[in-house]
Amino acid sequence: MTNHLEAIRKGKIHMLAGRDLAGTDLSGADLAGVDLSQANLSGANLAGANLQRAVLRANFRGADLSGADLRGADFRNADLRGASFANALVRDASFGGAFLTGASIGNLDLSGVDLRGADLRGAALVRAILHSADLSHANLSGADLSGADLEEAILNGAVLRGANLTGANLLCAMIQQTVWDGALLDRACLQGTPLSN
């Protein structure tokens, strides 16, 4: 098994779809372009791993993705509940329909990232940069978006019930049919949105 894991870490095995890699230490592994569809990586350590353009529609529940290179990765419909993304690179990644409840994604540059329909209930997005990100129909109930940059973000149909948007920048954000019940908007910049009237 050790030799097999070493081959995976060095990027010599590209088809990992459906594999059970729960709790595996893949920190620093070169997994660029790898297909991990339906794999079980719950609790896995992928800190600092290269997952550029990888197909990651898998179970990453509680996984450590801190410092990982996730640019262009496909996380659509993935289970990322409780995962840690500290200092990860996520530009051009797709999280459409992903389950990110309780995930730690604060301070990340998520500019232009696809988060359509994602479940972000209770997610920590403190000071995240979501400039032009597509959050249409995402569930952000109870999420902490304090200090987040949502300039020109697409929030059409999103649910922000009870979300903390204290000091957030929503300049020119698209907010048609967005649910704001109980959201905290203290010191939020709402210029260019219907809420500014």
Side-chain angles (χ1 to χ4, degrees), residues 102-196:
S104 179
I105 13 186
N107 293 312
L108 289 187
D109 185 352
L110 295 151
S111 298
V113 168
D114 176 10
L115 287 155
R116 288 175 294 174
D119 186 346
L120 290 147
R121 288 174 295 167
L125 288 149
V126 179
R127 293 182 300 282
I129 301 168
L130 291 148
H131 188 95
S132 301
D134 191 346
L135 290 143
S136 50
H137 303 286
N139 189 345
L140 292 142
S141 298
D144 189 351
L145 289 146
S146 53
D149 181 0
L150 290 148
E151 185 173 339
E152 297 182 353
I154 303 168
L155 291 160
N156 296 335
V159 178
L160 289 150
R161 190 175 285 117
N164 182 2
L165 289 144
T166 303
N169 176 17
L170 290 149
L171 182 69
C172 297
M174 298 173 72
I175 57 169
Q176 292 178 355
Q177 299 179 333
T178 303
V179 178
W180 300 96
D181 303 347
L184 300 174
L185 293 163
D186 299 342
R187 301 185 313 281
C189 175
L190 301 167
Q191 200 172 351
T193 73
L195 290 176
S196 62

Side-chain angles (χ1 to χ4, degrees), residues 67-83:
D69 190 341
L70 308 171
R71 290 175 293 179
D74 181 359
F75 280 105
R76 285 178 293 170
N77 302 311
D79 185 349
L80 294 153
R81 289 175 282 186

Side-chain angles (χ1 to χ4, degrees), residues 36 50 55 163:
L36 283 157
N50 179 6
V55 180

Side-chain angles (χ1 to χ4, degrees), residues 7-131:
I8 293 172
R9 290 176 64 83
K10 290 180 179 175
K12 294 182 178 177
I13 300 175
H14 292 278
M15 277 302 296
L16 295 168
R19 296 277 182 99
D20 185 0
L21 297 165
T24 304
D25 182 2
L26 293 168
S27 55
D30 184 3
L31 300 168
V34 169
D35 184 355
L36 283 157
S37 301
Q38 307 302 314
N40 180 10
L41 289 131
S42 58
N45 180 3
L46 291 145
N50 179 6
L51 290 154
Q52 286 186 68
R53 300 173 313 284
V55 180
L56 304 171
R57 301 180 201 173
N59 178 3
F60 287 91
R61 195 169 188 171
D64 183 359
L65 292 153
S66 57
D69 190 341
L70 308 171
R71 290 175 293 179
D74 181 359
F75 280 105
R76 285 178 293 170
N77 302 311
D79 185 349
L80 294 153
R81 289 175 282 186
S84 174
F85 289 87
N87 301 311
L89 301 172
V90 293
R91 192 172 284 272
D92 300 321
S94 175
F95 292 90
F99 297 92
L100 288 147
T101 49
S104 179
I105 13 186
N107 293 312
L108 289 187
D109 185 352
L110 295 151
S111 298
V113 168
D114 176 10
L115 287 155
R116 288 175 294 174
D119 186 346
L120 290 147
R121 288 174 295 167
L125 288 149
V126 179
R127 293 182 300 282
I129 301 168
L130 291 148
H131 188 95

